[in-house]
Amino acid sequence: MRYGFTTGSCAAAASKAAAYMLLTGKAKNKITIQTPKGIAYTADITDIKRSENEVSCAVIKDGGDDPDVTTGAYIYASVRILHSDKSALCKKKQDLAIINIDGGDGVGRVTKPGLDQPVGNAAINHVPREMIEKEVREVCELLDFKGTLDITISVPKGKELAEKTFNPRLGIVGGISILGTSGIVEPMSSQALIDTIRVELRQRYSFGYDYVAVAPGNYGLDFMKESYGYDLDRSVKCSNFIGETIDMAADMGFKRMLLTGHIGKLIKVAGGIMNTHSREADCRIELLTAFAFKCGVAPKYIKRIMDSLTTEEALAALKESGRLYEVMDYAMERICFYLDKRAKGRLEIDCIMYSNEFGELAKSRKAEKWFTLLAQEQAQQI
C-alpha cells in the first residue's frame, strides 16, 4: 500500500518553498525535504502569492492509502521578512537567522494543558516545528540570510476538518493540528490511534488525576451515561488497544483504572487477548462456550452457544439456561486475571462488562466505588 506524508511534512515543504522564493525572487514549483523517517519528500507547490516582503504557497496533503481526513487539504505557509539582516532593527550581528513559527486560519490553538504544545500555542507539534525550522534554516544558510522570518501555517478548511478529529475532545479549538513524528503516513497505521490515547492519558494526568476511566468506544460511553449517569466522554477511549493503554497508564503514574466495555470486546480479554481487533484474534464464541461448560450449562445450550453468530445470541442461550450471570461472573474473573497480569501490580484495574440487550452483565469486586468517585468528579466540572 502507498504511504503518504503528514501535515507536518506538508507545512515544512511549503515553508521551505516560500522562504526560497522570498529570499531569491525566483519561482519554485517543486521542493524536496528530508523527513525524520529518512525518506525524501518532493512536493508540488501550488497557489503561489508573492510580494516584496512576503510569499505564501501551499502543498496539497496526500495521505497515501491511509483513510486520513486531511487528505486533499491545502496546507499553506506564509513567510514574511520581519527584519532583514541589513536592517537597522537588527541591533547586533546575528550568526543565524531567527525563525518564528505560528498558526493561522484553520490551525488549532491549544486551550488545555498536557498536550505537545503549551496552552495558547498553535497546535503545531514539536517535530513539525523542528522540520519547518530545519528546512527554512537550510535556505537561509544557503543564501547567507541572518535576519528574522515569521512563518505562519494555515489550513483554510481546517476548522471543518477538525470536527472529524479528536481535537475538540482534547481542547484544541479553531482547526486541525499539524502533526507527524516520522513525516510519513503509514497506511492503516495503528500508531496514530495509540499516540492519541497517549495524549488523552497524559492530558488527564496533567490535571492531577491518578485514576482514569477507559472505554473501547462509543458503546461504552453510552452505557455509562444511561446506566450510571456518568459522561465517559470526559475520559479516555482506548479503541482496541487495551493492553497498550494499561502499559501507558502505568508508565505515566496512574494508580487506578476502570475499564468499561461491551462483551464483544471484553470477552476476548478473558482469553488473554489485549488487542481486541478482529484481525488480531476472534475467539468470542469459543470462550463463551468454554466458560458455559466450566459452569455446568446443559449440553443443549452449549451447542446453541457454539453455533451462535454473535455474543448477543450466545447470551440469549445462556439466559434460557438459567446460568447467564454465573457464567458472566466467571468470565469477569478471567478478565480481571489478565488485566492484573498485564498491569504487573503497577495499577489497580476494575472492570464493568455489559451487552446491548441485557445491560450490565458483570463487574469486578471494587467497581461500585467508582460510581461515587466519578459522580463527584463530574459534579465538580459542571
Side-chain angles (χ1 to χ4, degrees):
M1 297 179 75
R2 188 172 63 89
Y3 59 76
F5 294 92
T6 63
T7 48
S9 290
C10 296
S15 298
K16 184 176 186 179
Y20 179 87
M21 288 186 278
L22 179 61
L23 298 180
T24 66
K26 300 176 182 178
K28 196 73 172 172
N29 296 310
K30 285 185 182 292
I31 201 83
T32 299
I33 67 165
Q34 195 72 13
T35 64
K37 186 83 168 180
I39 297 172
Y41 173 36
T42 299
D44 292 324
I45 305 302
T46 189
D47 200 14
I48 299 168
K49 295 182 176 64
R50 300 163 63 185
S51 67
E52 184 178 352
N53 289 316
E54 185 171 359
V55 171
S56 73
C57 62
V59 170
I60 301 174
K61 167 72 187 301
D62 178 5
D65 288 330
D66 190 70
D68 188 333
V69 299
T70 59
T71 292
Y74 282 65
I75 313 297
Y76 280 84
S78 175
V79 180
R80 181 168 64 96
I81 296 177
L82 186 61
H83 303 144
S84 77
D85 48 354
K86 299 179 179 62
S87 170
L89 293 173
C90 287
K91 295 180 181 178
K92 62 180 181 179
K93 186 71 173 175
Q94 297 172 183
D95 293 328
L96 295 171
I98 295 173
I99 298 169
N100 303 317
I101 302 168
D102 201 1
D105 179 43
V107 172
R109 190 72 52 176
V110 177
T111 66
K112 293 182 180 179
L115 299 177
D116 181 274
Q117 293 294 301
V119 171
N121 269 24
I124 304 172
N125 279 10
H126 74 280
V127 172
R129 286 176 184 269
E130 290 166 3
M131 291 172 67
I132 292 167
E133 180 169 349
K134 171 182 173 293
E135 298 297 338
V136 171
R137 193 169 297 288
E138 181 181 300
V139 173
C140 292
E141 291 176 359
L142 177 68
L143 300 171
D144 198 31
F145 177 84
K146 297 177 181 178
T148 303
L149 296 178
D150 274 1
I151 301 173
T152 303
I153 307 301
S154 58
V155 185
K157 293 185 178 179
K159 192 170 184 179
E160 293 87 345
L161 291 172
E163 296 301 318
K164 302 174 184 178
T165 73
F166 283 96
N167 277 13
R169 280 173 58 85
L170 298 174
I172 298 172
V173 301
I176 66 168
S177 300
I178 304 300
L179 302 171
T181 55
S182 68
I184 302 298
V185 178
E186 298 182 34
M188 305 303 292
S189 171
S190 61
Q191 190 59 48
L193 276 172
I194 293 171
D195 288 346
T196 299
I197 296 165
R198 182 180 288 107
V199 167
E200 292 201 26
L201 287 170
R202 186 171 65 234
Q203 186 177 66
R204 180 169 177 81
Y205 194 74
S206 75
F207 281 120
Y209 296 108
D210 65 356
Y211 63 90
V212 60
V214 170
N218 289 324
Y219 285 147
L221 308 186
D222 294 342
F223 171 76
M224 284 293 285
K225 204 167 193 176
E226 292 170 9
S227 300
Y228 303 111
Y230 179 71
D231 186 1
L232 257 186
D233 197 50
R234 301 169 187 270
S235 296
V236 176
K237 289 184 186 177
C238 66
S239 185
N240 294 296
F241 304 103
I242 292 172
E244 294 269 8
T245 301
I246 292 170
D247 295 345
M248 290 186 286
D251 289 345
M252 284 181 199
F254 283 98
K255 302 301 181 187
R256 289 171 291 169
M257 175 187 290
L258 173 66
L259 174 64
T260 304
H262 187 273
I263 185 172
K265 292 284 187 189
L266 295 194
I267 197 63
K268 297 182 186 182
V269 179
I273 297 164
M274 290 290 154
N275 182 333
T276 57
H277 197 288
S278 58
R279 71 168 172 255
E280 298 293 331
D282 189 1
C283 56
R284 296 167 297 168
I285 300 304
E286 289 82 357
L287 284 166
L288 282 170
T289 303
F291 296 163
F293 180 82
K294 173 74 168 59
C295 293
V297 172
K300 68 175 182 178
Y301 296 111
I302 295 282
K303 184 178 186 307
R304 278 182 57 189
I305 295 165
M306 192 64 195
D307 291 339
S308 297
L309 297 177
T310 66
T311 52
E312 295 285 350
E313 185 181 350
L315 292 176
L318 280 171
K319 181 74 171 177
E320 286 186 35
S321 78
R323 298 287 185 89
L324 172 62
Y325 295 106
E326 182 182 347
V327 174
M328 291 299 100
D329 285 343
Y330 180 72
M332 182 56 66
E333 283 183 34
R334 303 309 300 162
I335 290 168
C336 290
F337 171 80
Y338 282 110
L339 292 175
D340 290 342
K341 184 178 180 182
R342 184 67 177 241
K344 298 177 181 177
R346 295 181 295 167
L347 76 164
E348 291 183 20
I349 306 178
D350 285 295
C351 184
I352 302 172
M353 181 169 63
Y354 67 93
S355 84
N356 297 337
E357 180 69 23
F358 299 99
E360 183 184 296
L361 296 171
K363 58 179 177 280
S364 59
R365 188 166 49 88
K366 296 181 180 179
E368 288 281 357
K369 295 181 180 180
W370 279 86
F371 304 144
T372 301
L373 183 64
L374 295 175
Q376 289 173 343
E377 177 190 327
Q378 184 165 282
Q380 291 170 358
Q381 294 177 353
I382 292 174

